[in-house]
Amino acid sequence: MPRLRTKLKLIIFLLPLLLLVLYLSNVVLNQQKIGVSVRISDLGQVVVAEIDGDSWANGQLQQGDILTAINGEAAADYELVQKYKVIERAETLDVIRKGNEGEAARLHFIVEGRISNWSLILHLVFPSVSLLLFLVFSFQVYYRQKHDRAANILILFFLSTGLSYFSSTASGLVDPVGRITLGWSFSLLPVFFAHFMREYLARYKEDFISLICLRVLYFMACVAGSIVTLSALTDYSMLLMESKVLLVFFSSTNVWIVCKLIAKYYKHRTGELQVLFKFTLTGHVLAFLPFLLFYSVPELWGVPVVPAEISAVFLFAIPVVYFYLFMTRRLFDIDFVLNRFLYYTAISFIPAVLIIGLMVGILKQSQYTWLKWVQIFLVVYFILTVFLFAKEFIDFRLRRSFLKESYNFQGSIERFSKQVSRVMKISDLEQVLVREIRAILPVRELVFLKLTYDQETGYHSLTGTERLKPEIVRSLQERALHPAVGELIALPQGVGLVIGHYRMTHELLWIDDKDNHTSLNLDERTWLQTVAHYCGIVYENLYLIEGLIEDLEAQMKDQQDVPSWVLRLIFTLSENERRRLAADLHDAALQDQLIWYRKLEALMLDYPMKDELWKQLELIKEGLLDVIHQIRQTCNELRPPLLNEMGLIEALEQLFAEERLRSNYSISLQTNMTSIELNDSQILAVYRIVQELLRNAGKHAQATDIQIELEQRGEQVFFHYKDNGRGLELSKLQDSFRHMGISGIKERVRSLDGEVSFFSELNKGFEVRLMFPLVPTSRNGEGGDSDDHHLAG
């Protein structure tokens, strides 16, 4: 039953509209436009006053011709002459034309001929397509938002715009139905717009026009429409009056609407509605300004700059803009459009002036018409080529001033690329990405998703959708079947960005709508796609690392011993982290401690204070010095200064000197390796082994004498450590938490493809002997590299 009612309403609505369209189309097709305005002379003669250039009379009649008869009756008695001072719908004309010598010639004209192709396109095809487009808009709005009051008013606005344009030609032919249709639709058009804005802004709790003012506008529109109707249906001659009333009402109402939009934009210039009012204001000005400036206002003085049919084309911007606004609930990024429009308008001015100037000079030539067009082509071609070549330099100089946001995107990409280069985990990558997007785009929410393809079932599963609306999830599942990294997926709300792909899994990021309700502009889309490609590379690398770790874990389960190249990789990564930590401690904590120490020292010197307070501050000062010393010592242990630059022997000597100051044991070193160069991983391994042995000697062994030998024996490096500490039973030595230092030494030696032996008894000291090749070799087909420099970050 409801469907039947809906269909009945549509039939009742469409049938009269269809009949009206057919009638007006028949008028345009079968009625020749004569295009003559006449005046009544003092002698009562009907004289041709003006001739429209695009009409039958152009080339047939002349200004000053005296019309004696129209359709066989006296011209002064013709209905349209008396009423509108025009001779439309005439079939025959009898004319007296005076010659140059004063002689008079009697002429008889038969108005015939078919409408020209250009007139057919301009006066029937364009209006028909426009009306059909507005009908489609109206049906779309009705079926999606038929219970919305603003939607119903928007439909009336669409129909009034389409009917105004479609009936303008029939009205110009002085057809009564065409004039009535144009009068009512044209007068109601700005009122419907004001009414729509009132209803639409009510959802934002913003008032656009009061109810009393709206009723006044409707009353004035009805008055204007009634004047046109009376003029068309009665014998009263009100052609000039009705035209003036319509144009004055239409122009003044639209000027008032523009002023209201400007006031609203100024009021909300820093709020969320700023973009909405800027968007509506720009659309309104774009639509109505050409019509007002080039036809409506000049027509009041009888000198229109361009025909109404041409200037009215701009009016289509309003329905299109508000259809997009109402249906998508999003706005164009108007700043993006305006900035580029101003920029390209500015740089196009000079070449346009040059082209016009040179064309005028060429066209003044009177000979060789075909040569003129060749010259014009060459001139335009040359100027455009030079302009496009110069545009690169113009962009470099001026683009920054007009398009400042482009450089924000460039700086963001540079900053983001540096940040992701230090990312080690997927969670860190996602945090960096969210932080960068929020810094550039005013988005409400971001959600990470995983789209996984199941080869057995052939379906895609989407995870992480708990915070998304069901329609967004459905749209993603329908559209994101095999997306590429960097692809933007349009959704009912926000967009989906593909940021990673590994095997059968796609990483997606759902980006909510921007706070200002604008859609993503071209620069923002390009920036997001670029950032997504960076993320895609990092995602792939991180997944590869995770896969490598899984493979290593599986291999380690199958084998008793961990491959030496894996140990080298682990120790190299560990040293990289030590270096970063040491740098962070030195550049942050240590410098802050030094600053506070100096401030405290300056405070104690500059201000007098009691002895008790002085002593307390002195204790704090000494405590700060201790903390500074501990941080500096920790930094040195994490990353020995100038280890590679000084060489292993010099670094060990410095280490021994520091240990002698902190401990009660003596250290002696015997070596023949002063001229032998080890690679970085070998130097670090030996240094760390010595550090661990000295630490063990001080904390556990209670040794007083330590002897170390470091020698080269052929292609092997031999290391021997011996102390006189309390020792331990080797039979009880296990790779447990208690002996992590000994276990670490074993792993270090294995990473060098070396061998290690421990010798000890209770109260008889502790001894270590190890040997490794000068150049690490691969064992048991494990792989690896002779130099681990490539593993350093």
Side-chain angles (χ1 to χ4, degrees), residues 374-426:
V374 174
Q375 292 172 339
I376 291 173
F377 169 78
L378 292 176
V379 167
V380 174
Y381 185 75
F382 176 74
I383 291 177
L384 289 178
T385 302
V386 173
F387 171 69
L388 293 176
F389 180 77
K391 185 178 178 295
E392 296 183 12
F393 302 95
I394 297 173
D395 286 343
F396 180 77
R397 294 291 183 182
L398 299 181
R399 196 177 181 90
R400 184 185 297 271
S401 301
F402 282 86
L403 311 175
K404 296 180 180 179
E405 71 278 3
S406 299
Y407 291 88
N408 293 336
F409 294 128
Q410 181 179 344
S412 169
I413 291 174
E414 292 176 357
R415 180 173 62 249
F416 183 74
S417 62
K418 292 178 181 178
Q419 292 173 343
V420 297
S421 65
R422 298 191 294 267
V423 164
M424 299 298 293
K425 296 186 296 184
I426 291 179

Side-chain angles (χ1 to χ4, degrees), residues 211-271:
L211 184 60
I212 295 176
C213 187
L214 183 63
R215 288 174 177 174
V216 170
L217 287 180
Y218 271 113
F219 174 76
M220 295 174 65
C222 291
V223 170
S226 299
I227 290 174
V228 177
T229 303
L230 288 174
S231 176
L233 299 180
T234 65
D235 294 333
Y236 293 104
S237 177
M238 295 186 291
L239 176 61
L240 296 177
M241 179 181 176
E242 67 181 73
S243 299
K244 299 289 185 184
V245 168
L246 279 177
L247 290 176
V248 168
F249 177 71
F250 181 84
S251 302
S252 59
T253 305
N254 278 288
V255 169
W256 174 80
I257 288 174
V258 170
C259 292
K260 289 285 291 184
L261 291 174
I262 292 174
K264 291 295 182 182
Y265 171 72
Y266 183 79
K267 176 182 176 183
H268 297 279
R269 62 189 182 278
T270 58

Side-chain angles (χ1 to χ4, degrees), residues 17 60 112 116 298 307 319 380 436 446 539 671 678:
L17 181 62
Q60 301 285 345
E112 60 182 1
S116 65
V380 174
E436 194 61 37
L446 299 165
Y539 263 115
T671 181
L678 304 178

Side-chain angles (χ1 to χ4, degrees), residues 616-635:
Q616 293 294 329
L617 292 178
E618 188 69 28
L619 290 175
I620 295 175
K621 180 181 172 183
E622 294 296 328
L624 281 174
L625 277 177
D626 290 341
V627 172
I628 291 170
H629 177 71
Q630 291 174 6
I631 294 176
R632 184 176 284 115
Q633 184 176 351
T634 302
C635 291

Side-chain angles (χ1 to χ4, degrees), residues 9-56:
K9 290 180 180 179
L10 288 176
I11 293 173
I12 295 173
F13 167 75
L14 289 176
L15 185 59
L17 181 62
L18 179 61
L19 294 175
L20 177 62
V21 169
L22 291 175
Y23 174 82
L24 296 177
S25 300
N26 181 67
V27 170
V28 175
L29 287 172
N30 297 312
Q31 186 172 319
Q32 183 67 264
K33 180 182 179 182
I34 299 177
V36 172
S37 299
V38 299
R39 60 181 175 84
I40 307 298
S41 67
D42 296 337
L43 300 176
Q45 295 176 323
V46 179
V47 182
V48 175
E50 293 181 6
I51 299 175
D52 192 345
D54 181 24
S55 66
W56 172 88

Side-chain angles (χ1 to χ4, degrees), residues 472-758:
I472 299 177
V473 176
R474 286 195 299 271
S475 183
L476 270 173
Q477 290 174 335
E478 292 172 357
R479 302 181 187 180
L481 297 179
H482 299 285
V485 174
E487 181 178 344
L488 280 168
I489 305 170
L491 300 172
Q493 179 181 343
V495 295
L497 178 64
V498 184
I499 57 176
H501 174 222
Y502 186 73
R503 293 179 180 173
M504 296 298 171
T505 300
H506 285 83
E507 299 285 345
L508 304 178
L509 176 63
W510 175 73
I511 304 173
D512 197 0
D513 289 333
K514 293 189 289 185
D515 293 337
N516 55 15
H517 307 287
T518 60
S519 57
L520 295 172
N521 61 47
L522 180 61
D523 280 354
E524 290 169 343
R525 289 175 174 273
T526 303
W527 172 77
L528 281 174
Q529 289 172 336
T530 304
V531 169
H533 284 296
Y534 276 99
C535 289
I537 296 172
V538 178
Y539 263 115
E540 186 174 358
N541 289 337
L542 293 177
Y543 276 124
L544 286 173
I545 292 174
E546 288 184 358
L548 176 62
I549 292 175
E550 292 176 359
D551 294 341
L552 290 176
E553 290 177 349
Q555 186 176 1
M556 290 167 63
K557 288 180 181 179
D558 296 338
Q559 299 181 11
Q560 286 279 335
D561 297 332
V562 180
S564 61
W565 68 269
V566 174
L567 293 175
R568 284 199 298 276
L569 170 62
I570 294 173
F571 284 125
T572 302
L573 294 175
S574 174
E575 291 298 336
N576 289 339
E577 290 302 315
R578 285 170 177 262
R579 185 179 67 252
R580 291 192 183 99
L581 180 57
D584 291 340
L585 283 174
H586 182 275
D587 297 339
L590 180 59
Q591 301 305 318
D592 290 343
Q593 294 290 340
L594 288 171
I595 291 172
W596 287 112
Y597 175 80
R598 293 183 184 119
K599 286 184 178 181
L600 178 60
E601 191 174 42
L603 180 67
M604 294 173 64
L605 293 175
D606 294 343
Y607 294 94
M609 55 189 67
K610 296 180 181 180
D611 292 343
E612 183 177 352
L613 179 59
W614 176 273
K615 292 179 180 178
Q616 293 294 329
L617 292 178
E618 188 69 28
L619 290 175
I620 295 175
K621 180 181 172 183
E622 294 296 328
L624 281 174
L625 277 177
D626 290 341
V627 172
I628 291 170
H629 177 71
Q630 291 174 6
I631 294 176
R632 184 176 284 115
Q633 184 176 351
T634 302
C635 291
N636 292 339
E637 290 180 356
L638 287 171
R639 183 64 178 175
L642 303 175
L643 176 60
N644 296 332
E645 290 79 359
M646 293 190 306
L648 179 59
I649 305 304
E650 290 80 359
L652 290 177
E653 292 287 359
Q654 183 176 345
L655 175 63
F656 297 157
E658 293 174 357
E659 289 296 327
R660 292 188 187 101
L661 294 176
R662 293 196 296 262
S663 306
N664 294 324
Y665 49 72
S666 62
I667 307 173
S668 62
L669 173 65
Q670 296 181 4
T671 181
N672 65 351
M673 295 188 60
T674 54
S675 60
I676 300 299
E677 293 186 1
L678 304 178
N679 63 39
D680 292 347
S681 61
Q682 292 172 327
I683 293 174
L684 272 172
V686 174
Y687 189 88
R688 295 300 185 196
I689 290 172
V690 173
Q691 267 188 323
E692 186 58 41
L693 291 172
L694 295 180
R695 188 180 297 113
N696 179 71
K699 290 184 177 180
H700 306 295
Q702 298 179 357
T704 58
D705 182 66
I706 297 174
Q707 298 178 10
I708 297 177
E709 296 180 40
L710 185 61
E711 298 178 353
Q712 179 187 0
R713 298 179 180 178
E715 294 298 323
Q716 299 284 325
V717 175
F718 175 77
F719 175 86
H720 180 218
Y721 167 91
K722 184 177 181 181
D723 65 40
N724 62 349
R726 61 185 184 180
L728 73 162
E729 295 183 13
L730 290 177
S731 60
K732 298 181 180 180
L733 182 61
Q734 301 291 334
D735 288 348
S736 62
F737 176 77
R738 181 180 177 185
H739 301 289
M740 283 299 290
I742 303 300
S743 175
I745 292 174
K746 289 182 177 180
E747 301 301 332
R748 290 273 186 185
V749 174
R750 287 180 57 201
S751 73
L752 301 177
D753 289 328
E755 298 177 355
V756 62
S757 301
F758 299 96

